[in-house]
Amino acid sequence: MGSHVSKQVERRKAIAVEKHTLCDLHQSCGEEFPSCAYKPSDKKNWMAGINPEKLHINKIVWPGTHDSATNKIGFPFITRPFAQCQNLSIYQQLEKGARVLDIRIQKDRKVCHGVLLTYNVDAVISDVKKFLSETQYEIIILEIRTEFGHEDPPEFDKYLVDQLGEFLIPQDDHVFDKTISELLPKRVICVWKPRKSPQPKAGSPLWNAGHLKDNWIDTDLPSTKFESNLKHLSNQPPVSSRKFFYRVENTVTPKADNPVLCVKPVTGRIHGYARLFITQCFSRGIADRLQILSTDFIDEDFVDACVAVTYARVEGKA
């Protein structure tokens, strides 16, 4: 018992030190980067506002959401706090400016996070289609994967093509160099990541796992995650020569050996430092590698920060 208490005390001290480390970095370095004051007047149509004829796919800093379809996961007040990473519906996230969605499913096509379940993936597709019907120039990256420990839903690739076929941008490395205008009317890059089923091939309406990569760091320590994200990003090629999307997740994960197990207070340790992360990318000379930045509980300032870097790139300021 005594050793367990001692371990908990040490864990709390480590978290406190890491929170102070990030706070000190923020105070000393600030949040200044090219066009950081830019804010889209209409977040629902922010790509249209920048200019689809000038906006190349590889110049976009994509605001993404982590575990996007968990707003109604599990049971309210009982299991939901341990798995909920977003409090908005898919449509509301897109309306707010998110352009990369992270969806995890199981064999029966229900969205899940570990063992906890929520609505059928049909609800996700419906929200995506509703958003597409209300906009003209917004491109979405829709990543759908079979959750760890679960089986692939049968013929799910066919389901995706049937549901989204008219919008799907086929898997093609040349897409990265094209502008939004050159891709229209196609508007969805759908990455399907099954566990055992065959991966989509080149030319398919769907994209395979090799086209959306990340380095997930399983920690609840905010400074450790922040610095690890910068290190892994620095090892990537610049977006101008990259033929895959690379995601950085501005999140931390509850750990079983810590008394705080709810997602929101844990991920809150790093949530407010997205602008600091972008600033550090510029100061460390790796801003040309930044591409997808994802978060829990997406908010307007997070979207504004990603859009600002996108705008700076298009205007030749970054």
Side-chain angles (χ1 to χ4, degrees):
M1 180 68 178
S3 62
H4 177 74
V5 173
S6 177
K7 184 177 180 181
Q8 291 299 318
V9 170
E10 291 303 312
R11 291 285 291 132
R12 287 178 178 271
K13 286 181 179 179
I15 291 167
V17 168
E18 295 232 351
K19 289 168 71 174
H20 282 299
T21 299
L22 269 187
C23 184
D24 290 344
L25 181 64
H26 183 251
Q27 290 179 347
S28 62
C29 298
E31 299 179 339
E32 297 289 324
F33 54 85
S35 299
C36 60
Y38 178 84
K39 293 184 179 182
S41 58
D42 179 5
K43 290 181 177 61
K44 184 175 180 179
N45 293 282
W46 68 259
M47 290 182 173
I50 290 180
N51 189 345
E53 294 183 357
K54 295 172 62 178
L55 184 52
H56 290 79
I57 294 300
N58 62 12
K59 289 187 181 296
I60 299 170
V61 176
W62 304 75
T65 53
H66 166 247
D67 258 314
S68 306
T70 54
N71 57 309
K72 294 184 178 180
I73 196 89
F75 295 99
F77 309 111
I78 301 173
T79 57
R80 187 169 298 171
F82 302 106
Q84 183 183 32
C85 299
Q86 307 297 330
N87 51 24
L88 301 175
S89 69
I90 294 299
Y91 175 78
Q92 289 170 329
Q93 292 173 40
L94 293 168
E95 192 177 40
K96 191 178 283 287
R99 294 294 178 267
V100 180
L101 301 173
D102 160 23
I103 311 296
R104 293 101 182 277
I105 58 172
Q106 61 178 25
K107 187 176 182 180
D108 63 1
R109 297 184 182 173
K110 284 190 175 180
V111 176
C112 56
H113 186 176
V115 297
L116 296 180
L117 305 179
T118 183
Y119 39 74
N120 193 283
V121 75
D122 288 343
V124 173
I125 301 301
S126 178
D127 274 6
V128 168
K129 291 166 81 170
K130 178 182 178 183
F131 176 78
L132 292 171
S133 73
E134 296 174 355
T135 57
Q136 289 183 290
Y137 301 105
E138 307 306 298
I139 304 291
I140 299 169
I141 299 176
L142 173 62
E143 177 200 35
I144 304 185
R145 72 177 90 171
T146 303
E147 177 70 307
F148 180 78
H150 291 274
E151 294 182 33
D152 299 325
E155 299 188 328
F156 192 69
D157 52 347
K158 295 180 181 178
Y159 164 82
L160 289 172
V161 174
D162 287 344
Q163 292 292 317
L164 295 169
E166 64 180 300
F167 300 110
L168 293 174
I169 299 170
Q171 184 185 151
D172 180 358
D173 287 351
H174 293 100
V175 164
F176 294 93
D177 299 315
K178 292 185 176 181
T179 65
I180 288 177
S181 290
E182 290 174 318
L183 294 174
L184 296 176
K186 307 294 187 180
R187 294 169 56 201
V188 178
I189 295 171
C190 185
V191 182
W192 165 226
K193 294 182 175 181
R195 293 216 162 262
K196 295 182 179 179
S197 302
Q199 291 277 339
K201 297 179 180 179
S204 163
L206 307 176
W207 295 59
N208 60 41
H211 284 97
L212 177 49
K213 303 179 183 180
D214 53 35
N215 291 98
W216 184 61
I217 303 106
D218 186 15
T219 182
D220 63 351
L221 299 174
S223 183
T224 294
K225 181 64 175 286
F226 190 92
E227 292 297 333
S228 295
N229 280 343
L230 287 166
K231 179 181 178 182
H232 286 299
L233 183 62
S234 71
N235 293 330
Q236 305 304 315
V239 292
S240 59
S241 61
R242 201 155 70 211
K243 300 304 179 184
F244 60 89
F245 295 99
Y246 183 78
R247 173 173 50 206
V248 173
E249 292 185 335
N250 189 57
T251 64
V252 286
T253 308
K255 304 300 296 177
D257 64 349
N258 193 276
V260 182
L261 297 176
C262 297
V263 173
K264 197 158 193 175
V266 173
T267 200
R269 298 167 188 166
I270 198 172
H271 184 270
Y273 293 112
R275 284 184 178 269
L276 177 63
F277 184 82
I278 293 171
T279 301
Q280 288 298 298
C281 287
F282 278 97
S283 66
R284 302 187 193 195
I286 58 173
D288 61 344
R289 293 156 172 75
L290 187 60
Q291 192 167 41
I292 297 174
L293 188 59
S294 290
T295 187
D296 292 325
F297 304 103
I298 193 167
D299 57 37
E300 290 188 358
D301 187 65
F302 178 86
V303 172
D304 287 343
C306 295
V307 176
V309 184
T310 303
Y311 175 79
R313 286 176 174 176
V314 171
E315 295 299 313
K317 299 176 182 179

